[in-house]
Amino acid sequence: MLDASIAMQVLFWGIYAGCIYMLLATGLTLIFGVMKVVNFAHGEFLMLGSYITFWIVSLLGINPYVAILPSMILLGLLGIAVERLAFRPILGTGKLNEIFVSLGLIYILQNGVAFLWGDDFRSMHSPYAAKTIPLGSINLPLDYVILVFFTAVILLALHLFLKKTSLGRAMRATSQNRKAAMLMGVNVERIDMLCFGLGVALAAAAGSLWAISGQLFNPYSGSLPAIKAFAIIILGGLGSIPGAIVGGLIYGIAENAGGYLFGNYWKDAISFLILIAVLVVKPHGIFGEGEE
Amino acid sequence: MRQGLLLWLVALAIALLLPLVAGKSPYLMKVLIIMIIFIIYTHAWNLLAYSGQASLGHAAFFGIGGYASALLASKFGVSPFLTIFIGAAFAAIAGVFVGIICVRLREWFLAMVTFGFSIIVGTIFLNQFTSIFGGVDGMPAKRFFSATLEHRYMYEYYFMLLIAIATTLLIYFIMRSRLGFAFAAIRENELEAKVLGVNTTKYKLIAFLISTYLAGLAGALQTHSFAYITPEIYSVHNSFWPVIYAIAGGLATLEGPIIGTVAITLIWEGLKNLGLSFGRFVIIGLLLVAMVIFRPRGLASILDRWR
């Protein structure tokens, strides 16, 4: 039977996984809002984030949590390059082309990493790996708590950036109405680029935190989280950041509860069952409005 | 048109004569057989794309066709030559089911649902009903021709070729029929098609039905050719290959799946012989992106001036 401490444990695991989904989904929805592009290869940036942080830590020997920011910046630059080279040329040529280009990117990034660094599972060691924080009847690993904290800080910083800076305002304007933003003097192509870089940096943060908290990673570990993040932004409404955050949290908890109740190998299948069920009832997501 | 027909006849002649050259090498014959199976499979995917619906989870139907056919052949002792067609019907049933979910969805929503469906099906075949499906180990499947038969690869090749030709003809007639026009109208602008009186729901479901039947048929062909089947068949690669082949050849054209499958298979096997493993996936990925950007109508568009 489900007793309180197990329920707590499942809930906390859900929040922990939900944080990763939140960061991924927020980046994805940010890119979608501004560019109306869906990047199926978003999870590959999460995977790259794990690897870059891993290498920064192994080469420089610094605290992994310090390595997150440089990792985000490096991948943000890579994201800008990918936007310029792969997505800009096909912008406005049809939604199918975007799916196909991101499919190509998945192949390039996954196997590029496997080519360079092999496809074995790797892991990182956090200096706080053995520490736990007691909370009621359960012990929370310190790294998980830090992960939740970092996620909150990053999302808060993003919120402030979007609300308080002129660049953030330009991003929101482009997201709301691209043409009007252009007429008001916003350089929308530059906004596209920055936005893509920012979204990728968020994925890198997710990948770094995921790896630091002790999860194994290999070149293929980004695909499923990305597809789930995509499901989340459908549930939360395409382009809506609050939707992505709430959706990510609900998704993480639902997935872990489902995995606990039906067996862990059902985790992925359950999340898609939820998605399909929602799409059948509401084809444009729970918070989304009909568009096209 | 006449030059177009000539090209088709040349291609057919090459296909018929190839075993005379390659027949000595089992490796080459196996590559050719898989290539033909994937031409059928890519035709199936491409027909759905022809109606404006791009699936990212066709492996589900490929696999269901394979499992159903293998089970029918081993449990009831029916000849695989028959079960491939019955097994494919199971894939089509699943296909219509997914189609019903998808009729209201477009583009990435549809891509998501089909992708998710293949993950769900893969999970079920891996973890549930292991006494029937054999779990992770899968199960053996009857061969078309006995493994001891002298020219079995050659027989198998011509059998696959026959089905591939039949499939190509079927798609040709569909594309030129009212059905094909309805598919194309939906692809170009679903709302306009609806306004003009096309029953879009019906035609989208028909596209799903035919496409998933053919995908299941291709899966069954592969299963009996390999003589075994495992849940590996539901891997994302099997969902993505037909997409890559069709785009490389020419999306929503009759010749695209054939040209694309042949071209990419040649590149793929060539790179393998150069000793690349992960590198060849990177190259295929680069090719895919470059194709979409620089040649969105695929390699088939090179032949345009011949028509």
Side-chain angles (χ1 to χ4, degrees), chain B residues 71 75 124-135 138-139:
Chain B
L71 277 171
K75 298 265 159 65
I124 292 172
F125 277 74
L126 184 61
N127 299 303
Q128 304 292 309
F129 313 114
T130 44
S131 59
I132 307 172
F133 301 135
M139 56 188 183

Side-chain angles (χ1 to χ4, degrees), chain A residues 33-257:
Chain A
V34 169
M35 298 175 69
K36 303 287 177 282
V37 157
V38 165
N39 177 20
F40 275 99
H42 201 63
E44 275 48 54
F45 295 113
L46 169 133
M47 174 275 291
L48 271 172
S50 305
Y51 272 92
I52 299 295
T53 305
F54 172 85
W55 282 115
I56 294 176
V57 172
S58 326
L59 295 176
L60 303 179
I62 54 176
N63 186 312
Y65 288 104
V66 183
I68 295 177
L69 193 63
S71 176
M72 283 173 74
I73 292 169
L74 277 176
L75 274 167
L77 293 174
L78 177 71
I80 288 173
V82 166
E83 195 276 329
R84 289 298 310 246
L85 294 173
F87 282 103
R88 171 111 27 117
I90 54 140
L91 219 55
T93 63
K95 292 165 185 166
L96 290 185
N97 281 348
E98 293 156 11
I99 297 178
F100 300 152
V101 161
S102 39
L103 213 62
L105 284 173
I106 291 177
Y107 274 80
I108 297 170
L109 295 173
Q110 277 185 357
N111 295 286
V113 168
F115 181 72
L116 288 173
W117 301 315
D119 65 346
D120 296 327
F121 274 103
R122 287 174 189 266
S123 65
M124 275 172 75
H125 289 288
S126 156
Y128 318 115
K131 297 205 171 63
T132 57
I133 296 177
L135 182 82
S137 54
I138 58 170
N139 283 320
L140 306 178
L142 180 58
D143 281 314
Y144 290 19
V145 179
I146 298 179
L147 182 141
V148 175
F149 174 72
F150 263 62
T151 305
V153 169
I154 290 170
L155 290 176
L156 191 68
L158 180 73
H159 175 79
L160 290 176
F161 168 75
L162 288 175
K163 293 279 172 194
K164 301 288 179 197
T165 65
S166 60
L167 201 58
R169 204 170 301 134
M171 273 187 191
R172 284 189 292 136
T174 316
S175 174
Q176 279 167 12
N177 190 331
R178 199 177 172 87
K179 265 191 198 133
M182 213 190 290
L183 291 173
M184 293 296 124
V186 175
N187 182 346
V188 289
E189 295 199 321
R190 208 176 61 138
I191 295 295
D192 280 354
M193 227 163 70
L194 287 172
C195 216
F196 205 91
L198 194 59
V200 168
L202 288 172
S208 307
L209 288 166
W210 188 241
I212 295 170
S213 66
Q215 302 293 336
L216 300 176
F217 56 96
N218 74 356
Y220 313 107
S221 50
S223 320
L224 269 180
I227 299 287
K228 288 175 191 167
F230 187 66
I232 289 162
I233 70 169
I234 291 178
L235 299 180
L238 291 167
S240 149
I241 292 180
I245 294 172
V246 176
L249 200 58
I250 294 175
Y251 209 83
I253 295 170
E255 183 187 72
N256 274 281

Side-chain angles (χ1 to χ4, degrees), chain A residues 32 85 89 95-96 98 100 103-104 107-108 111-112 114 119 220 227 230 265-266 272 275 279-280 283 292, chain B residues 54 101 104 106-109 112-113 116 123-124 127-128 237 240 243 247 251 278 281-282 285-286 288 292-293:
Chain A
F32 180 85
L85 294 173
K95 292 165 185 166
L96 290 185
E98 293 156 11
F100 300 152
L103 213 62
Y107 274 80
I108 297 170
N111 295 286
D119 65 346
Y220 313 107
I227 299 287
F230 187 66
Y265 48 79
W266 272 98
F272 285 111
L275 172 73
L279 281 179
V280 170
E292 267 182 61
Chain B
I101 297 173
R104 292 199 293 170
R106 276 178 74 85
E107 280 105 18
W108 46 66
F109 295 99
M112 280 297 306
V113 168
T123 308
I124 292 172
N127 299 303
Q128 304 292 309
H237 285 305
F240 290 173
V243 185
I247 292 167
L251 201 62
F278 298 121
F281 280 104
V282 177
L286 286 169
L288 179 61
V292 175
I293 295 174

